[in-house]
Amino acid sequence: MSKIPEKVRFAPSPTGHLHIGGARTALFNYLHAKKTGGSFLVRIEDTDLARSTQESEEVIIRDLNWLGIHWDEGIEVGGEHGPYRSMERKHLYQPFIDQLLKEGKAYYCYCTEEEVEEQRKKQRANNELPHYTGKCRNLTPEQREQYEKEGRKPVIRFRVPEDQTIVVKDLVRGDVEFDSNGTGDFVIVKSDGAPVYNFAVVVDDYLMNITTVIRGEEHLSNTPRQVLLYEALNFPVPKFAHVSLILGEDRSKMSKRHGSTHVDQYRAKGYLPEAIVNFLALLGWSPEKGEEEIFSLDELEKLFTLDRVTKNPAVFDIKKLNWMNGQYIRKAPLDKIVEMCIPYFVEAGYITEEEIQTKREWLVKIVEAARERMEYLEQIKEHARIFFDDALHFENDEAESMIHLDHVPMLLQALREKVKAVDTIDKEFANGIFKVLQKETGVRGKNLYMCIRVALTGQCHGMELVDILEILGKEKVISKIDQVLTYLA
Ligand code: GLU
């Protein structure tokens, strides 16, 4: 793979939040720029006026930054090829539109939406691929004048050359061929003067000196039109790399049906940006050597090569992401994880904002014990419930039947006595108590551990019992035991 510095770009349309697929495209661009010692640009493609929103733009930028995918040039950062929103670049597109019109490579078309739709309907009925028939291709000045008089607002169409094979040279897919006859003369400027994506993208990539266009496979069908425009404008054609779709586990295109599809949804659930980046990098790419799967962004910057991007679709495996996120949760500094968990404690109503400082030490203990079992941080709500919920309830029949075993009152009395006799439950006590109880009561195994667990938490499984005892502390352990004993009496 070339070591020539490459200039690449991510060009999201601000028509929704940052999609997992978009984030992966951004990441691959970023990594390719780093790997080749080149630069990475982000610009906003807001040509779809009806669907573009300021809010989407803000969220996309925020989430890219959150993932640690930073850019050298573009929106917010600035640079010499701005502005970095398509709709602010209309004056830059104009000379190229004029050039195409002058050279007869584009023309005004006065067909109304309804007329074009009518044509399409007919073509479909005849089993033809819908495309513009070229009705306005060769209008005389008089015909144009007549339409203008009628008050029709024209679009500008690109005149697609006939009988041409358009070859898209794709770094991931090899040569992909398209027949120009299937394309039809397409609109490059709408009747309100707004540029159309396929045109704006070409001019932008040219003016911004983009050397390789890395984007999702869903854009492959746009690429022949763009190649025709490059050629018509005498621009050098950049290299293309169309990255495969991300599929859900049922192998259909990933959508809401498959769960969370946007970066902010994962962020809200408490996925770590490092884990998401690591996971996304492996969706369609793998390093040359080894079985290793945990990579930091720094490592990826060194390892990534475009030629290892596969053309097979990548399957989004949430179990793998959860596993990976768990790894990052356990590896991160405890303090950082505590900080990230605090909003969930507040959200669940376990603590108030005011209590964050006073209860901090206790929260640290809870998070430390729970993080061994967490896949994403929102799960702290579930894990921590046992420490904040004083009501007595059993999670299921199994728990209920454990608590009704004959030996339970005797066992809990024995535990109560031992706890009563110490000032606090420290690690040492918690670690040693089960052996002592086993010896004194003769109860062992599940009858010992699970019965105590159910008495203290209402659950049959969960975090280490030793941690639970210590975190609950002397008073809570005694009151919980009393509650159960009263219930059983
Ligand atoms: N604006 C397009 C999108 O958000 C990207 C187009 C491109 O990368 O050329 O899907």
Side-chain angles (χ1 to χ4, degrees):
M1 190 84 348
S2 101
K3 280 279 176 289
I4 302 163
E6 291 252 52
K7 188 164 182 195
V8 291
R9 83 322 187 259
F10 177 55
S13 301
T15 52
H17 291 189
L18 183 62
H19 192 273
I20 283 292
R24 183 195 52 173
T25 299
L27 176 65
F28 282 11
N29 274 288
Y30 168 93
L31 293 175
H32 186 60
K34 289 283 175 210
K35 182 63 195 272
T36 61
S39 69
F40 175 45
L41 176 153
V42 173
R43 67 164 187 256
I44 301 293
E45 282 183 348
D46 55 355
T47 50
D48 186 343
L49 294 181
R51 292 174 59 229
S52 294
T53 67
Q54 174 71 24
E55 190 250 359
S56 292
E57 178 182 317
E58 282 165 13
V59 171
I60 291 169
I61 293 171
R62 181 198 68 190
D63 288 349
L64 286 172
N65 280 312
W66 178 71
L67 288 169
I69 302 175
H70 302 298
W71 49 102
D72 311 294
E73 183 187 333
I75 194 82
E76 295 221 318
V77 173
E80 52 180 311
H81 303 98
Y84 293 99
R85 278 186 202 94
S86 320
M87 291 309 287
E88 291 168 14
R89 297 174 61 77
K90 278 162 92 175
H91 60 291
L92 295 168
Y93 303 137
Q94 198 55 50
F96 299 105
I97 297 166
D98 295 342
Q99 183 187 328
L100 291 175
L101 284 169
K102 199 167 125 228
E103 293 175 358
K105 293 175 178 168
Y107 61 89
Y108 289 101
C109 163
Y110 293 85
C111 294
T112 60
E113 272 294 325
E114 295 74 38
E115 286 166 344
V116 173
E117 191 41 49
E118 201 50 39
Q119 286 172 9
R120 287 201 196 108
K121 260 197 211 144
K122 274 196 201 138
Q123 289 164 336
R124 279 194 210 103
N126 291 336
N127 272 335
E128 285 175 53
L129 271 183
H131 62 276
Y132 182 65
T133 53
K135 184 163 175 244
C136 294
R137 260 191 161 198
N138 301 304
L139 292 182
T140 62
E142 293 73 34
Q143 284 171 312
R144 274 198 61 193
E145 205 175 309
Q146 178 59 31
Y147 281 136
E148 294 280 341
K149 263 203 207 128
E150 288 173 20
R152 294 199 188 205
K153 289 252 168 295
V155 299
I156 300 176
R157 287 188 186 270
F158 179 72
R159 193 186 296 272
V160 173
E162 280 156 40
D163 304 326
Q164 207 177 301
T165 301
I166 310 155
V167 183
V168 175
K169 294 187 171 304
D170 192 281
L171 296 172
V172 177
R173 270 143 233 284
D175 287 358
V176 189
E177 293 188 356
F178 296 86
D179 178 357
S180 73
N181 294 343
T183 305
D185 295 349
F186 54 90
V187 177
I188 56 174
V189 181
K190 290 180 226 165
S191 57
D192 61 2
V196 169
Y197 155 73
N198 270 317
F199 175 72
V201 71
V202 168
V203 176
D204 290 345
D205 283 338
Y206 167 70
L207 291 178
M208 293 176 188
N209 300 325
I210 300 303
T211 56
T212 299
V213 171
I214 305 171
R215 62 185 169 201
E217 186 187 355
E218 65 274 20
H219 286 291
L220 184 60
S221 59
N222 285 319
T223 312
R225 294 174 203 204
Q226 294 171 17
V227 169
L228 289 173
L229 283 167
Y230 278 105
E231 288 169 355
L233 289 162
N234 287 320
F235 295 163
V237 185
K239 287 171 276 183
F240 291 101
H242 287 94
V243 183
S244 299
L245 295 179
I246 300 178
L247 305 182
E249 262 159 274
D250 59 358
R251 304 225 145 222
S252 68
K253 191 174 171 202
M254 191 170 161
S255 69
K256 271 191 224 136
R257 237 167 8 92
H258 298 104
S260 304
T261 46
H262 290 86
V263 171
D264 54 355
Q265 294 171 311
Y266 288 94
R267 177 187 166 130
K269 281 190 186 166
Y271 285 82
L272 272 55
E274 298 85 349
I276 295 186
V277 159
N278 188 161
F279 176 74
L280 290 179
L282 297 176
L283 279 182
W285 173 84
S286 58
E288 201 178 337
K289 287 186 228 106
E291 299 287 303
E292 180 60 41
E293 295 206 283
I294 300 291
F295 300 107
S296 68
L297 190 57
D298 272 356
E299 289 168 321
L300 291 169
E301 286 173 21
K302 295 187 187 86
L303 287 171
F304 185 83
T305 54
L306 256 189
D307 61 358
R308 300 272 319 157
V309 171
T310 141
K311 68 172 175 210
N312 302 327
V315 175
F316 189 98
D317 178 356
I318 186 71
K319 285 193 217 79
K320 181 166 171 180
L321 172 58
N322 286 345
W323 166 80
M324 204 171 256
N325 199 50
Q327 301 288 313
Y328 278 90
I329 289 175
R330 290 183 268 293
K331 228 170 50 179
L334 179 59
D335 254 0
K336 175 177 158 179
I337 298 299
V338 172
E339 241 8 271
M340 292 178 82
C341 282
I342 283 174
Y344 299 112
F345 283 106
V346 177
E347 204 176 279
Y350 296 157
I351 56 165
T352 62
E353 294 276 352
E354 293 70 43
E355 288 170 330
I356 293 174
Q357 280 324 317
T358 50
K359 296 205 165 160
R360 199 182 162 89
E361 228 174 286
W362 195 48
L363 300 180
V364 171
K365 280 192 182 161
I366 296 175
V367 174
E368 187 175 21
R371 80 160 161 174
E372 294 308 315
R373 317 178 67 82
M374 283 201 285
E375 294 179 319
Y376 50 92
L377 300 178
E378 194 187 30
Q379 290 172 330
I380 193 68
K381 290 187 192 170
E382 268 313 301
H383 289 298
R385 173 167 304 146
I386 53 174
F387 304 114
F388 295 94
D389 183 358
D390 291 330
L392 180 71
H393 43 73
F394 303 104
E395 66 170 354
N396 52 24
D397 290 350
E398 190 188 4
E400 184 86 49
S401 67
M402 289 306 291
I403 210 69
H404 282 105
L405 292 176
D406 288 347
H407 69 279
V408 169
M410 176 272 291
L411 177 67
L412 291 181
Q413 280 295 359
L415 173 62
R416 192 181 193 284
E417 264 170 41
K418 298 290 169 207
V419 172
K420 197 123 189 97
V422 290
D423 288 339
T424 52
I425 298 181
D426 57 15
K427 256 211 164 51
E428 202 189 332
F429 174 86
N431 269 320
I433 187 67
F434 297 99
K435 230 186 207 138
V436 175
L437 288 176
Q438 184 181 319
K439 220 171 176 180
E440 276 191 15
T441 63
V443 181
R444 53 176 59 230
K446 196 172 159 185
N447 284 343
L448 172 66
Y449 291 97
M450 202 185 275
C451 287
I452 292 179
R453 180 185 289 279
V454 172
L456 297 180
T457 69
Q459 302 170 351
C460 295
H461 307 280
M463 62 173 83
E464 293 293 331
L465 199 42
V466 169
D467 292 330
I468 293 173
L469 275 173
E470 199 195 338
I471 295 169
L472 278 174
K474 177 174 171 173
E475 269 169 47
K476 275 207 173 188
V477 169
I478 291 177
S479 75
K480 283 198 180 252
I481 290 176
D482 287 346
Q483 204 177 19
V484 176
L485 289 175
T486 312
Y487 168 75
L488 292 176

